[in-house]
Every structure is written in C-alpha cells, then in structure tokens.
C-alpha cells in the first residue's frame, strides 16, 4: 500500500472518530457512560485493526472489512445531529456494523467468501440490516420511542403506525436471529473442515462467533421491549465489550504469526544436522503451526512426501498451496493455503527447509568424501602390503635362490680341489662363508619387508615365530588359528611385532603377554609387559605409525603406559 | 653304508637343480628332476625315488600339497614303501610355522645346507633298520 493511501486511511479513521465526539451528546441522566464511550472504543479498535490488517495483508479484504465495521459502528451517531438528514441516516444505519461483522466472520481468515451460498448470506445480512431499518423508518414516528418535539424529523416517515412499526421490528428480529444462527453454524463448519494452519486460525473465531452470536440474540430479544435503563444496561451494556473481540482476533492472528516466525528461527538453530527429512518436516510443521505441512522430494516422474504419499506440485489439492525449495535436490513444500496470507512465514519456512537440506547434503558429501579417503587409505595400505609381499617373494625367488646356487657351486668347487690345492680350497671356503652370510642377511631383510610366515601360516604361526625370536620371555595366552583377510592379519601382526620390538628395545621388561581374541565383528589384539612404561605414541614414533596403520584398517590403537607400571598396547581391528 | 639311493629333486629353479644334481651325483646318488608339483608326482611314480628333495615354493602347488600327494601315492609313508620326503626352501623353517611339522615330510633342510651327507642322515633316520 502506498504512503498516500495509508495517510488517507489514517486521516479517515481519525476524522470519523473526531466527528463522533463532535456530534455525540454526553450521556444524559437516563443513559450510561458505557454507551457513550463504548461506541467510539469499538470503532477505534476496528479502525486500527483495519489499518494494521491492510498493512499486514495488502492483498486481502480483511483490512477493508475491519474498517467497515469501524465506520458502520460510528455511523448511527449521526442521529445526534440536530438535523433531519443526519437523524434519518443515523437511525437507518443502526444495524450495518453487525452485518459487516458477520461478513468479516464468514470471510475469516483469508478475506474471501467460500461459496455462492455464503455470498448470499452476506448479501442477506446487509440487505436485512439496511432494509428493515429503512422499512421501519417509513412507519416510525420518533414519538413512538419517547422522542419529544425536540427530536429532528424522520425524513422517511410516510405514515406513522405503531402496529406496523412493531411488526417490522418483530420480523427484523426473527430474520436477524435466523441469519445469526446461519452465520455461526457456517463459521463452526469452516472450523471443522479446516486443517492445519487454517484450523488453528479458526479456533479463536469460533469462540468469538459464539459469544457475539449469543450477544446479538439477547440484543434482538430485548430490543423488542422497552426496557428500563438498568435492565438495558444489564442486557446490552456488555455489547461493546463483546464487539471488541473482533479486533482481538486480529491481534491473536498477528501474535500467532510472530510466534511462528520465532519458532522457525529456533527450529533452524535446533535442527540437528543430517536429521532425516521426516524429522525436518515434523520440526517445521510444529514451528509453523501447520500440521498438514508436507515435504516432498522428486521421485522418478512425480513427487513423494516424507510419509510416502504421492504429491503433484502442478495440481495441489484444494486448499493446499505449493512452493519449491531451493537447493540441490528437487523438493517442494505443500502447505495449507491459509498460509498464503503470511508470505513471510512461507519464505522463512522455505529458507529453513532449504538450508537444512543443503546442510544435510553437505554433511552427506563430507561423509562420502571421508568414506572415499578411508577407502583409499585402506587401499594404499593394502597395496603397500601387496608390494612388500611381492618384494619378499622376488628376493626369495631371485637373489636368495642365486646365492643358494652360488653356495652349492662353491661347495662343489671346494670338494673338487680338496687335498689338491689347499690355498684355493681355503679361498673357496671363505667365499662360501661370505655367500652364506649374505644369504642370512638377505633372509632377515626379506623377513623385515614382509614375514613370509604370515602369508604361509596366518596369525598363529607368525605370532609364534615372533615370540620365539623375541629376547624377552613372552607367553601367548590366546591366538585364533583361523585365517583372516591379509590386511587384518598384517595389521594384527605389526601391532604384536612393534610391541615386542619395544619390549626388547626400551621397556627393560622381563616378561610380556600376547593375546589376540576373535570377538564378534573385531579382532582384539593385546600385548602387555611388566617393563618401565612411559611409552608415548608421539608423531614419528613407531607407535604413531602403528596407530595410523590400525586406523587405516578402521580400528583403534590404545597405549596405556604409565611410567613404572608396564605398557599395555591394545588394538581393536574390525573383522567381518 | 646304504646302497646308492635315487633322489628326485623337485624345484622350478634350473640353476639350483643343475648344481644340486652335480653335487649329489658326485656324492654317488642317482638323480632325477622335476620342475613342478605335477611333474614331481609323475616322475615319482615312474622312478620310485628313495628320497624327494621338495622345494616348498613351486609354480603350481606348494610343497606341502605335493608332499601330501606323494605320500598318498607312495603308500602313505617311507615305512610303507613311499619315498622319504625332505622339504627345502631358501627361507627358514620358522617361516613356515607349524606347517612343516604337520606335513608327511620327514623334515626340512635349508637349501644352502644341502649336501649328500645331510640327505643320508634323513635316509638313515627314516629307514626301518636305522631307527
């Protein structure tokens, strides 16, 4: 809405209220202050709600309807004017505010009437409000209402007839009552058929409609009798207060939207990353206050929501609206169409949902990348193992074999010259010794590169060989005899081998225990000694490398080595 | 002194077979050769050697498997008329853990310690008269 239009609306409301106080006479001895102040209070409340509604829902008719109720409330005050025209118009307009209020109730919460029948009801409301007043005016002599000669003239008076006037009043009361009942029933039906956001929006209206309906019935009945002032106060004095419930509706709906906005903000913060889409939907639905909210994802040619229902974004069900989410996945939110009045809330919800999905996607991506890195690390280790196995085998098949042959040849050569040429014999013997030394060293080297015994016999044999070669007294409490995947065997082997090497090098330990236990889903390797302790898996140390090695197999290495209390090395290696 | 025994050398390495043959023949043994496990089984059937010097690392089956087959085809053991099987490798016996002990072979001889005397010790230990 433009500033100019807003200025006009404010000016109109202020002017109308000012006029009221200019023309209305303060209550005389027979009237009560509440009727004097109630009217402008109700009018000002509706005019203010109208302005605020116009600002909040520029595309909706609700602002207009609130304002209409406000102006129509002030209109009857024209009869204070000592002027026949004002007096006539004021009296004729006495029921219009009620009709506008019924219109507002039926159009709540979108501002649109829902059916042709309801439009008919609203037309009937306005027609009966204006029609019966005008009809009554034709036969109403102000004197009937105790108005003496000081009252201005009724310009519409054709023929003053008290029975006719009474008949018009009774008819008016009956038609008004029927229309009121119809309006209240329709509002209750709106509430019952509404879902989600709209249903929540209907709840306060149902209460307001029932109360205003009851008040209107009482006014109708008591209006047929001339009540003494006190009784009039008791039956009708609260009418202005009841009417104030209308603007309260607006306040409630505004507060509700604000609460939802706050709740959405909190939900965005609270939503744990990577939550499944179903949880995201639930959180948003709760925060937004629309239990019908659907979050649907592209699924082949169509869309499917988080509860598995097919959704067609191109043709939403009646009363539903669709908004696409931004982000990598093709997704939509389907929500109660009543929320169309709160585009800000929808934008906020879309932003929250998009952000959460993007967050989940990023997390999944990071997770996937981590998986890739893990897998590639495992492959690198595996490839390294395979390469070491190949090297060991190459040494065995190549250099070692040739050295063996050389040793045999030297042996034969020596036996040929035995007793013939002692010098040559000694030379050949020395050469043979050298060759054997080389062979031994090469064998140790090959074993260091990769223990053939591990490939040949598996963990049990390999650990046994390690223990036998260790200078410390090592007992094996448990080792499974079965074979495991090469990477797992090699990892467990290196844990024990590194631990025993440390025992020999640093621990000053006398004894050590080795146990490898086959547990469900894992292999638990444990080496403990009674040595000096104080081992620390710092970077670059053998233990740090070992921790990396265990981690690459998806396991964990724990080192427990308090100074002076021995060292315990434990590795958990996943094992199918 | 034993009569000259026949020996089957099973090894895929030509150089080793050549030198081992030279050495053992010089030592008075009759020598046959096989380069693979399958060949070893066949040759053992026709030659009926008194001792098989069996390399553990063979291109087709490993030495343990060949030893099992030889033992099965030779009547189960040296006592039942089968050959004395001596496993050999450039590796240590410890590199094979308990597999050597649980095979039907009479024992293990590191390749670089091969000599006629060493083989005679195996033959003596396995012959019914020698034990």
């Amino acid at each position: 809405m433009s500033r100019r239009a807003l200025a006009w609306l404010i000016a109109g409301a202020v002017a109308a209220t000012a006029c009221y106080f200019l023309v209305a006479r303060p209550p005389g001895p027979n009237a009560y202050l509440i009727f004097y102040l109630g009217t402008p209070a109700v009018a000002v409340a509706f005019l203010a709600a109208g302005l605020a509604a116009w600002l909040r829902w520029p595309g909706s008719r609700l602002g207009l309807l609130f304002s209409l109720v406000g102006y129509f409330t002030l209109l009857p005050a024209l009869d204070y004017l000592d002027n026949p025209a004002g007096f006539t118009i004021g009296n004729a307009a006495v029921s219009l505010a009620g009709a506008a209020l019924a219109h507002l109730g039926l159009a709540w919460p979108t501002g649109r009437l829902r059916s042709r029948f309801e439009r008919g009801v609203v037309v009937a409301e306005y027609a009966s409000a204006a029609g019966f007043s005008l009809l009554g005016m034709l036969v109403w002599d102000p004197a009937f209402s105790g108005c003496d000669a000081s009252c201005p003239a009724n310009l519409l008076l054709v023929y003053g007839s008290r029975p006719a006037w009474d008949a018009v009043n009774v008819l008016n009361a009956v038609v008004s009552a029927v229309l009121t009942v119809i309006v209240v029933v329709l509002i209750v039906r709106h509430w019952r058929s509404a879902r989600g956001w709209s249903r929540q929006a209907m709840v306060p209206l149902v209460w307001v409609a029932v109360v205003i309906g009851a008040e209107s019935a009482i006014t109708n009945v008591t209006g047929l009798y001339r009540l003494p002032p006190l009784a009039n106060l008791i039956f009708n004095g609260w009418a202005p207060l009841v009417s104030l419930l209308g603007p309260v509706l607006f306040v409630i709906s505004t507060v509700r939207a604000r609460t939802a906005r706050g709740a959405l903000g909190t939900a965005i913060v609270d939503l744990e990353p990577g939550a499944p889409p179903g949880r995201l939907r639930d959180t948003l639905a709760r925060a937004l206050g629309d239990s019908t909210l659907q979050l649907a994802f592209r699924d082949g040619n169509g869309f499917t929501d988080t509860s598995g229902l097919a959704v067609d974004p191109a043709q939403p069900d009646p009363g539903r609206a669709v908004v696409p989410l931004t982000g990598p996945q093709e997704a939509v939110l389907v929500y109660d169409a009543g929320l169309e009045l709160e585009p800000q809330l929808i934008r906020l919800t879309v932003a929250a949902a998009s952000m959460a999905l993007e967050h989940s996607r990023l997390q999944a991506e990071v997770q996937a990348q981590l998986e890739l890195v893990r897998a590639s690390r495992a492959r690198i280790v595996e490839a390294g193992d395979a390469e070491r196995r190949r090297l060991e085998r190459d040494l065995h098949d190549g250099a070692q074999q040739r050295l063996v042959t050389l040793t045999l040849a030297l042996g034969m050569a020596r036996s040929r010259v035995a007793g013939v040429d002692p010098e040559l014999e000694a030379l050949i013997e020395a050469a043979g010794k050298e060759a054997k030394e080389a062979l031994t060293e090469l064998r140790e080297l090959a074993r260091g590169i990769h223990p053939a015994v591990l490939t040949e016999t598996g963990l049990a044999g390999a650990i046994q060989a390690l223990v036998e070669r260790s200078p410390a007294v090592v007992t094996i409490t448990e080792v499974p005899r079965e074979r495991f995947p090469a990477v797992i065997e090699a990892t467990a082997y290196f844990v024990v081998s590194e631990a025993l090497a440390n025992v020999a090098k640093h621990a000053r330990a006398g004894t050590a225990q080795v146990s490898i236990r086959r547990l469900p889903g894992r292999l638990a390797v444990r080496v403990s000694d009674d040595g000096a302790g104080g081992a620390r898996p710092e970077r670059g140390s053998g233990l740090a490398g070992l921790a990396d090695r265990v981690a690459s197999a998806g396991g964990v290495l724990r080192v427990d080595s308090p100074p002076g209390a021995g060292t315990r090395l434990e590795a958990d290696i996943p094992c199918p | 002194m034993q009569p000259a025994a026949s020996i089957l050398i099973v090894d895929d390495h030509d150089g080793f077979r050549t030198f081992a043959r030279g050495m053992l023949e010089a030592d008075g043994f009759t020598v046959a050769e096989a380069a693979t496990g399958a060949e070893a089984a066949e040759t053992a059937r026709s030659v009926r050697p008194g001792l098989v010097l069996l390399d553990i690392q063979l291109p087709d089956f490993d030495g343990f498997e060949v030893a099992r087959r030889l033992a099965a085809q030779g009547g189960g053991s040296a006592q039942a008329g089968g050959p004395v099987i001596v496993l050999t490798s450039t590796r240590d016996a410890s590199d094979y853990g308990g597999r050597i002990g649980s095979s039907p072979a009479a024992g293990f001889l590191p390749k670089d310690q091969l000599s006629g005397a060493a083989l005679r010790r195996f033959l003596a230990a396995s012959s019914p008269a020698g034990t």
Side-chain angles (χ1 to χ4, degrees):
Chain A
M1 184 163 42
S2 71
R3 268 166 187 281
R4 174 178 288 224
L6 181 65
W8 276 112
L9 284 170
I10 294 175
V14 170
T17 314
C19 284
Y20 174 82
F21 284 105
L22 282 178
V23 303
R25 275 189 299 271
N30 286 343
Y32 288 90
L33 194 61
I34 189 154
F35 294 115
Y36 174 68
L37 290 180
T39 301
V42 169
V44 165
F46 271 97
L47 288 171
L51 271 172
W54 235 317
L55 282 175
R56 208 155 99 67
W57 303 309
S60 153
R61 234 176 246 164
L62 287 174
L64 173 72
L65 291 176
F66 271 109
S67 302
L68 262 189
V69 176
Y71 286 116
F72 285 161
T73 303
L74 289 173
L75 212 49
L78 286 177
D79 75 357
Y80 283 115
L81 288 174
D82 282 332
N83 161 326
F87 182 76
T88 307
I89 295 172
N91 273 299
V94 81
S95 305
L96 277 178
L101 198 57
H103 184 178
L104 177 61
L106 285 178
W108 188 262
T110 60
R112 280 191 302 272
L113 292 170
R114 291 164 172 79
S115 65
R116 183 175 286 200
F117 174 71
E118 295 190 6
R119 276 193 287 280
V121 170
V122 168
V123 168
E125 278 276 359
Y126 284 116
S128 91
F132 281 113
S133 294
L134 290 174
L135 201 61
M137 298 288 281
L138 296 180
V139 294
W140 176 61
D141 186 333
F144 298 163
S145 306
C147 226
D148 53 23
S150 67
C151 283
N154 173 5
L155 291 182
L156 294 178
L157 178 62
V158 175
Y159 172 74
S161 156
R162 189 164 200 118
W165 187 53
D166 285 344
V168 169
N169 277 347
V170 169
L171 198 58
N172 183 11
V174 170
V175 172
S176 292
V178 169
L179 284 174
T180 302
V181 168
I182 290 175
V183 168
V184 170
V185 166
L186 284 174
I187 287 174
V188 170
R189 277 182 48 183
H190 292 167
W191 165 66
R192 295 200 45 163
S193 65
R195 296 282 170 268
W197 172 270
S198 296
R199 191 182 179 93
Q200 295 292 318
M202 287 302 296
V203 170
L205 175 64
V206 168
W207 290 108
V208 169
V210 168
V211 173
I212 290 185
E215 181 265 341
S216 136
I218 291 171
T219 311
N220 247 330
V221 174
T222 57
L224 294 179
Y225 305 94
R226 279 188 60 81
L227 295 174
L230 183 65
N232 189 30
L233 176 72
I234 292 170
F235 285 116
N236 295 323
W238 49 292
L241 298 180
V242 169
S243 302
L244 281 175
L245 289 174
V248 166
L249 268 183
F250 174 78
V251 173
I252 290 176
S253 102
T254 305
V255 167
R256 186 170 166 235
R258 277 190 186 240
T259 311
R261 229 176 297 163
L264 277 170
T266 316
I268 297 173
V269 176
D270 287 351
L271 202 69
E272 70 241 63
R279 181 129 21 107
L280 173 62
R281 185 226 79 102
D282 293 348
T283 308
L284 291 178
R286 217 172 15 248
L288 187 60
D290 181 8
S291 57
T292 66
L293 185 74
Q294 289 170 287
L295 172 59
F297 295 92
R298 161 75 69 190
D299 176 20
N301 288 328
F303 280 74
T304 305
D305 78 359
T306 48
S307 55
L309 287 173
V311 167
D312 183 0
Q315 283 178 309
D317 293 338
R320 313 283 297 151
V322 176
V323 62
L325 295 183
T326 57
Q329 275 165 297
E330 215 182 322
V332 294
L333 281 178
V334 186
Y335 54 93
D336 183 82
L339 269 166
E340 297 277 52
L341 273 181
E342 308 288 351
Q344 237 190 327
L345 272 184
I346 292 301
R347 272 199 300 277
L348 202 56
T349 312
V350 166
S354 303
M355 206 152 71
L357 289 179
E358 176 70 8
H359 195 163
S360 295
R361 184 187 68 87
L362 284 178
Q363 214 187 21
E365 211 166 79
V366 168
Q367 200 63 41
Q369 268 166 0
L370 193 63
E371 275 316 311
L372 282 180
V373 169
R374 270 199 197 121
S376 86
R377 179 165 70 164
R379 276 199 305 276
I380 288 168
V381 168
E382 221 164 307
D385 279 0
E387 186 59 18
R388 292 167 80 139
R389 259 198 309 277
R390 194 185 62 76
L391 265 176
E392 191 273 342
R393 186 169 289 248
D394 282 356
L395 279 177
H396 168 258
D397 289 343
Q400 277 177 292
Q401 202 74 262
R402 288 184 191 283
L403 273 175
V404 163
T405 313
L406 176 64
T407 314
L408 291 186
L410 287 172
M412 281 168 68
R414 203 196 73 177
S415 62
R416 292 264 172 94
V417 299
V420 181
D421 186 341
E423 246 178 72
L424 186 57
E425 190 188 346
L427 196 61
I428 294 176
E429 190 176 352
K433 251 175 100 178
E434 282 299 306
K436 281 195 179 180
E437 289 285 322
L439 195 57
T440 309
E441 280 173 23
L442 202 55
R443 198 178 282 148
E444 284 304 315
L445 178 67
R447 189 180 288 136
I449 289 171
H450 186 85
V453 63
L454 188 61
T455 325
E456 292 296 331
T457 68
L459 269 178
I463 300 298
Q464 181 65 42
L466 268 181
V467 165
E468 279 166 10
R469 274 197 291 275
S470 171
V473 179
V474 185
T475 47
I476 300 174
T477 49
E478 190 175 344
V479 170
R481 306 213 69 84
E482 59 185 298
R483 297 300 303 259
F484 302 101
V487 169
I488 293 171
E489 284 187 341
T491 307
Y493 176 88
F494 285 125
V495 170
V496 177
S497 135
E498 177 69 26
L500 291 183
N502 283 343
V503 167
K505 259 192 282 181
H506 316 293
R508 298 191 295 280
T511 64
Q513 280 86 41
V514 176
S515 104
I516 300 179
R517 296 181 65 194
R518 175 72 165 110
L519 298 173
R522 66 201 173 95
L523 211 55
V525 184
R526 180 175 168 151
V527 183
S528 50
D529 66 52
D530 62 350
R536 285 163 59 174
E538 264 133 15
R539 238 181 146 55
S541 75
L543 282 179
L546 193 62
D548 285 347
R549 163 93 216 199
V550 173
S552 79
V556 264
L557 180 74
R558 284 181 297 275
V559 181
D560 182 19
S561 186
T567 298
R568 207 168 60 212
L569 202 64
E570 288 180 327
D572 263 335
I573 304 163
C575 180
Chain B
M1 191 68 205
Q2 299 258 329
S6 68
I7 292 184
L8 171 61
I9 300 175
V10 186
D11 199 307
D12 58 327
H13 196 270
D14 297 343
F16 175 80
R17 282 205 313 273
T18 310
F19 280 105
R21 177 178 203 138
M23 175 202 259
L24 294 176
E25 279 179 346
D27 226 353
F29 290 98
T30 318
V31 176
E33 295 176 31
T36 64
E39 209 180 300
E42 205 170 301
T43 315
R45 242 195 308 271
S46 57
V47 174
R48 304 197 68 82
L51 186 145
V52 179
L53 183 66
L54 180 57
D55 188 20
I56 293 178
Q57 227 74 46
L58 289 171
D60 48 357
F61 316 108
D62 73 8
F64 301 109
E65 174 64 17
V66 178
R68 212 178 49 71
R69 292 186 181 200
L70 288 178
Q73 95 187 22
S77 71
Q79 282 81 0
V84 176
I85 299 167
V86 176
L87 291 165
T88 186
S89 172
T90 53
R91 293 190 184 123
D92 256 359
S94 72
D95 284 335
Y96 296 101
R99 293 186 78 188
I100 291 168
S102 58
S103 84
F108 177 86
L109 184 66
K111 270 191 188 174
D112 55 323
Q113 283 164 34
L114 175 64
S115 68
L119 294 187
R120 279 203 189 85
R121 277 196 293 279
F122 277 108
L123 282 168
S126 308
S127 78
T131 42

